[in-house]
Structures are given as structure tokens and as C-alpha cells.
């Protein structure tokens, strides 16, 4: 519908000026729907963490939202992209965001195959929370994401992690490294004793005005007993 030079001008005006779509429609004799179809997607400068295909912005609003909190640019494969990767002041890290897999070996490929995207949604949550946890300690995620089969023995899961080209892991929670919480903590202590850094993406259960520190979801939030001397007292780890 447009000559190559006109098409190039349309892209230039759309992406690099504040000229409205209505104004562009008038200038080029197009409808808004036609402008939307003719605009060449703008490369975002990074690849999708799931399918590894280059990401691009199809609309100015997507690009403008890229530096805002809670933006979820979604790839055509269905994977939501994390926000805050380009936040200034962060240091690049080779940390691997780990998604423990609790299925049997026979179904392992069902998760990992790129043609199957039914689990991309939950995986997106793992990645987005992991990137946020890294940013809180000053680290920038560089795209290392792995699915680790965790429905196995302690030695088996530890062996898989040892094969990763990093010694920094980001996990959903310390108790989510394996299917069993006891094994998860045993694996965590083994990793730490071996010189690994394990970053938990679990949100703090206490707000800052109650406790200005870090906590995982190892125990329920503490609250005073309703009646003193109650036999239902519980042991809390502090």
C-alpha cells in the first residue's frame, strides 16, 4: 500500500516521534487498522527466556511500558517476560533461575519440549519472581533458566545441579527445591556447605514495620496465643 520510502518514513515517525496515529493516518491516507498492520515491529534487544526467539515491540505502548513496573511483555510462545532486567546499578550475574520439576521421568519431556506451552504460565511466574529477588540483592539476570527434575533422591538432584555452569541458584523457596520439604532443606544446607549461593524468591511473610529483615516461608507467621497457658502452643523457630 506504501512505497518503500513511505513505509520507512512511517516507521520512523511512529517509533521516533510523538506524532499521533490519527495524524499519521491523515498524512499517509490510511486507517488506524492499516497503520497498525504496516508498522514494522521494533526489536526489543533481548531474546525470550523460554523459546530463545528475539523479542520485539509491536506497539509504542509496549515499548513505553518496558521500563515501568509490572509490565509483562508476552512472547508469541506464551511466555511472559520479566521486568526490571535493565534496571541501572545492577551487576550481571550467571545465576540460574531454577524451576524444580516434580513429575516422573516419563513426563519430563512434556515440560521441556518447546512445542508444549501449557506450563509456560507457571514458569513465567518462577522467572519473574526470580528476577525480582535477584534485583533486590543487586544482581541482574542474564537469562539462565533451567528446569530441574526434583522428584528423585537428594544425591540425584544435587548431581543435576552440580552440572550447571554456575554456583548461584535462584529458587522459588527454600522448601521447594525438592518435592519433600525436609529433603529440600537438606539439599539447601548441602549446597551452602559446598560454597553455593542460594537466593530465595519467596516473599517475606512479615512487613517491614514488623521486621526489617529477610525471611523465607519456613514457618507460619508468628502471632501471640489467644489464651495464655493454652495446650495448643506451637514451637516457632526464630
Amino acid at each position: 500500500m506504501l512505497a518503500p520510502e513511505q513505509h520507512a518514513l512511517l516507521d520512523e515517525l511512529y517509533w521516533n516521534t510523538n506524532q499521533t496515529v490519527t495524524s499519521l493516518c491523515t498524512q499517509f491516507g490510511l486507517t488506524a487498522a492499516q497503520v497498525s498492520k504496516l508498522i514494522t515491529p521494533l526489536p526489543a534487544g533481548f531474546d525470550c527466556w523460554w523459546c530463545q526467539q528475539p523479542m520485539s515491540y509491536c506497539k509504542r505502548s509496549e515499548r513505553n511500558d518496558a521500563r515501568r513496573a509490572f509490565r509483562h511483555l508476552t512472547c508469541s510462545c506464551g511466555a511472559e517476560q520479566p521486568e526490571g532486567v535493565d534496571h541501572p546499578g545492577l551487576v550481571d550475574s550467571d545465576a540460574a533461575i531454577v524451576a524444580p520439576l516434580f513429575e516422573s521421568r516419563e513426563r519430563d519431556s512434556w515440560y521441556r519440549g518447546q512445542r508444549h506451552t501449557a506450563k509456560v504460565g507457571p514458569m513465567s511466574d518462577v522467572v519473574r519472581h526470580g528476577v525480582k529477588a535477584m534485583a533486590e540483592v543487586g544482581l541482574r539476570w542474564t537469562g539462565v533458566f533451567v528446569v530441574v527434575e526434583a522428584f528423585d533422591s537428594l544425591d540425584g538432584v544435587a548431581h543435576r545441579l552440580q552440572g550447571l555452569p554456575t554456583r548461584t541458584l535462584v529458587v522459588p523457596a527454600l522448601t521447594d527445591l525438592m518435592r519433600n520439604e525436609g529433603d529440600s532443606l537438606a539439599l539447601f544446607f548441602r549446597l551452602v556447605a559446598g560454597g553455593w549461593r542460594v537466593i530465595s524468591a519467596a516473599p517475606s511473610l512479615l512487613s517491614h514495620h514488623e521486621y526489617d529483615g529477610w525471611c523465607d516461608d519456613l514457618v507460619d507467621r508468628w502471632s501471640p496465643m489467644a489464651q495464655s497457658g493454652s495446650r495448643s502452643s506451637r514451637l516457632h523457630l526464630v
Side-chain angles (χ1 to χ4, degrees), residues 225-238:
M225 301 302 299
Q227 296 180 354
S228 60
S230 172
R231 294 184 179 180
S232 61
S233 299
R234 298 174 59 188
L235 175 65
H236 291 275
L237 302 179
V238 179

Side-chain angles (χ1 to χ4, degrees), residues 3 8 26 36-37 53 78 85 156 212:
T26 301
S36 178
K37 291 180 180 179
Q53 295 301 308
V85 176
D212 190 19

Side-chain angles (χ1 to χ4, degrees), residues 4 21 32 44 46 62 73 75-76 85 110 114-115 118 134 149 154 157-158 181 183 196 199 201 208 211 219:
V21 172
F46 60 90
E62 292 180 344
L73 182 62
C75 179
S76 58
V85 176
W110 184 76
Q114 292 185 359
R115 295 183 180 180
M134 290 182 63
E149 182 184 335
L154 184 64
V157 178
E181 291 189 357
D183 285 342
W196 289 67
I199 300 173
H208 288 291
Y211 174 68
V219 295

Side-chain angles (χ1 to χ4, degrees), residues 2 18 31 57 70 73 75 85 88 91 111 117 122 133 139 143-145 152 160 178 189 200 206 211 230:
L2 293 177
N18 293 324
T31 64
Y57 304 117
F70 307 111
L73 182 62
C75 179
V85 176
V91 178
Y111 273 71
T117 59
L139 301 179
V144 183
F145 171 75
D152 199 354
R160 293 185 184 89
M178 297 181 65
F189 292 131
S200 170
L206 300 179
Y211 174 68
S230 172

Side-chain angles (χ1 to χ4, degrees), residues 57-228:
Y57 304 117
C58 295
K59 298 182 295 184
R60 282 191 292 204
S61 58
E62 292 180 344
R63 181 195 60 184
N64 296 339
D65 289 342
R67 296 182 180 180
R68 299 175 183 172
F70 307 111
R71 67 99 179 174
H72 301 319
L73 182 62
T74 303
C75 179
S76 58
C77 73
E80 293 180 344
Q81 306 304 301
E83 67 277 358
V85 176
D86 296 327
H87 191 279
L90 299 182
V91 178
D92 286 347
S93 171
D94 66 350
I97 295 179
V98 177
L101 177 69
F102 301 131
E103 296 294 324
S104 64
R105 290 184 177 88
E106 290 75 14
R107 297 186 63 190
D108 190 358
S109 60
W110 184 76
Y111 273 71
R112 300 187 185 186
Q114 292 185 359
R115 295 183 180 180
H116 303 280
T117 59
K119 291 296 178 180
V120 177
M123 296 298 183
S124 295
D125 291 338
V126 171
V127 169
R128 288 192 285 104
H129 294 320
V131 170
K132 181 179 179 181
M134 290 182 63
E136 289 177 350
V137 294
L139 301 179
R140 177 184 293 107
W141 184 52
T142 55
V144 183
F145 171 75
V146 292
V147 179
V148 175
E149 182 184 335
F151 188 48
D152 199 354
S153 66
L154 184 64
D155 290 337
V157 178
H159 178 72
R160 293 185 184 89
L161 295 175
Q162 289 289 343
L164 299 177
T166 180
R167 286 298 178 267
T168 303
L169 302 179
V170 185
V171 298
L174 299 186
T175 53
D176 282 345
L177 282 168
M178 297 181 65
R179 183 157 192 148
N180 177 275
E181 291 189 357
D183 285 342
S184 296
L185 291 178
L187 178 58
F188 166 67
F189 292 131
R190 178 183 293 191
L191 292 171
V192 172
W196 289 67
R197 181 179 185 181
V198 182
I199 300 173
S200 170
S204 172
L205 298 179
L206 300 179
S207 60
H208 288 291
H209 73 275
E210 296 171 310
Y211 174 68
D212 190 19
W214 173 90
C215 61
D216 202 271
D217 60 353
L218 302 184
V219 295
D220 294 334
R221 175 175 173 173
W222 180 86
S223 61
M225 301 302 299
Q227 296 180 354
S228 60

